[in-house]
Amino acid sequence: MSKNVDTDVQMRKRNMKLFPTYKKLAWDYLFYYSIDFLFLTQIKNISAANVVLANSIKYLFGIFIQIPANIIVEFLGRRNSIILGNILNCFYILMFMMTGNLFDLILAKFISSLAVSIKDIAEPGLLNASIPPSKYKSNIFAKINARGASGFYILSAISKIIGGFLFEINGYIPMILCLITLIFVSIVSMLYIEPIKKSSSKSNASMQIKKQMKDIQEGFQFILKSERLKALILSASLIASFLSIMASYRTSLLQDIGTPAYIISFAAAAFSASSAIGAKRQKKFNDRFKNKSIIVVALMTSISAIIAGILGLKKEQSHVLTIIIVLLFLIAKFAHGVFHTIMDRYFRNFTNKEIDTKIFAVKNLFVNIVSATMGIMASFLLNKMSTAYCMLVLGTIFTIMYLLMSKYMKARVGLKPEEYSKFERKYDELQ
């Protein structure tokens, strides 16, 4: 008994200490963003519209991958799944560098989608299972998660500045650095200790898969009946889809108004720094706006896009207008940093190890559905009009949807624990 307790304590200490450092390097691709758009459009000669389309198809893949990804996590465990996800990311960057056309890019995006789906389920699940049950668990989860996220954004900012300069020398160098980082991350992920011990029963693989499918089905049924989770999934899907579109639109707009590649890399670095500040200050932000936090984040992103789109329509661009556009994007990226940390915290509330991976899987499923749909529309618009017009149109559409979303969420999210029904708190560890 004592040995088991010691092992459990060692696991919790190791995982909770390692997670922020790991997330700083592994949350997303370093030396990649903003450079990826330039790499595909300038070196591989793929159109901006097709780049947006490929990103949308990646989310389309995510729709069909979520259940298999959840089975993989349940079958391999959280630790081994994280390792697998990181190795798949290494393959993705290799394929990305070798892509020659849209089909090659879409094939690479499939690998990326599988890797991201596995990691998005396993990583928060591992952290959640590693923190001991207490009334402070939600705050501890958010604090550890935010420390990793803010660290990632800082490293991302530095990597974008370096990547921008290196891109001017040779467009492949930033991608090679990204691959080296991912190889290192794969090694670091091996240091985790699996928090959920599997049953020692020797049932065959097909029996285990059937049991996992039944568990997943029960988990999905609970999630789709929960008013709170449905509201959170709706908001996460709408906000994440718009953030995904803006990731390409931002670079495209700066490119359209004649901003040099090295300046774009500096701007991208500033965007990451702004997200780092947002992730770090998520608790103060949440304390300030309380149950209005999500709608404030949403409107910060959409209204910034509308104003940036209007300014981008000016025929005579100036340094002043460019600076204002960058400042608007900084506001949106601050909201981006707040969004991911707060959302993970909200989804983790009232969950335990029986339901957490299913919640993250369902969230990712709907995020992918909405992101794919909206992304394809964004690609279609970019084929028909300038980036500035696209930002203006989509910013307006999403602002309207966010206001309707806020009305739907009002009585469902942000309540005190005792204000939720027993059903909503079915998996609350402290009940």
Side-chain angles (χ1 to χ4, degrees), residues 402-421:
Y402 289 154
L403 292 172
L404 294 172
M405 173 192 85
S406 176
K407 191 175 180 181
Y408 176 74
M409 291 179 67
K410 193 172 183 180
R412 295 173 172 85
V413 177
L415 309 178
K416 293 178 182 177
E418 60 271 16
E419 292 178 314
Y420 287 105
S421 67

Side-chain angles (χ1 to χ4, degrees), residues 8 11-12 15 73-74 76-79 125-126 128-130 193-199 352-354 356-357:
D8 194 52
M11 175 275 293
R12 294 187 189 282
N15 290 353
V73 173
E74 292 295 328
L76 294 181
R78 289 153 170 81
R79 173 186 176 272
L126 181 137
N128 188 49
S130 300
I193 298 173
E194 174 58 47
I196 307 296
K197 301 301 178 188
K198 287 192 173 290
S199 169
N352 60 22
K353 65 184 180 182
E354 295 176 26
D356 57 359
T357 56

Side-chain angles (χ1 to χ4, degrees), residues 17 20 62 179 193 201 231 234 244 251 271 287 293 295 306 312 314 328 334 337 340 384 394 397 402 411 431:
K17 186 177 180 181
L179 178 60
I193 298 173
S201 63
L234 173 67
S244 171
T251 308
F271 300 154
D287 290 344
S293 295
I295 184 59
I306 292 171
K314 300 283 184 182
L328 288 164
F334 174 88
H340 282 295
K384 302 294 180 184
L394 285 179
I397 291 171
Y402 289 154
Q431 270 203 127

Side-chain angles (χ1 to χ4, degrees), residues 11-131:
M11 175 275 293
R12 294 187 189 282
K13 283 184 177 179
R14 168 82 67 85
N15 290 353
M16 289 168 68
K17 186 177 180 181
L18 180 62
F19 193 88
T21 304
Y22 165 80
K23 185 161 185 171
K24 288 173 189 177
L25 296 167
W27 191 22
D28 215 334
Y29 307 116
L30 294 172
F31 301 99
Y32 177 85
Y33 288 106
S34 75
I35 302 302
D36 67 318
F37 188 88
L38 300 173
F39 181 85
L40 293 172
T41 54
Q42 294 183 17
I43 294 178
K44 296 297 183 177
N45 296 315
I46 297 174
S47 71
N50 280 342
V51 173
V52 176
L53 178 63
N55 287 333
S56 304
I57 291 173
K58 173 186 172 181
Y59 289 108
L60 198 62
F61 287 140
I63 298 169
F64 305 103
I65 285 171
Q66 283 310 306
I67 291 178
N70 197 79
I71 292 172
I72 288 169
V73 173
E74 292 295 328
F75 190 76
L76 294 181
R78 289 153 170 81
R79 173 186 176 272
N80 291 339
S81 297
I82 291 171
I83 295 168
L84 174 62
N86 288 318
I87 291 171
L88 287 172
N89 270 335
C90 294
F91 282 112
Y92 164 64
I93 293 298
L94 280 171
M95 295 172 71
F96 186 87
M97 286 191 285
M98 293 187 290
T99 188
N101 51 48
L102 181 60
F103 177 78
D104 291 345
L105 181 60
I106 289 171
L107 189 60
K109 291 293 181 182
F110 172 78
I111 299 298
S112 176
S113 181
L114 180 58
V116 169
S117 296
I118 291 171
K119 280 163 59 70
D120 281 354
I121 296 169
E123 287 172 350
L126 181 137
L127 177 59
N128 188 49
S130 300
I131 302 170

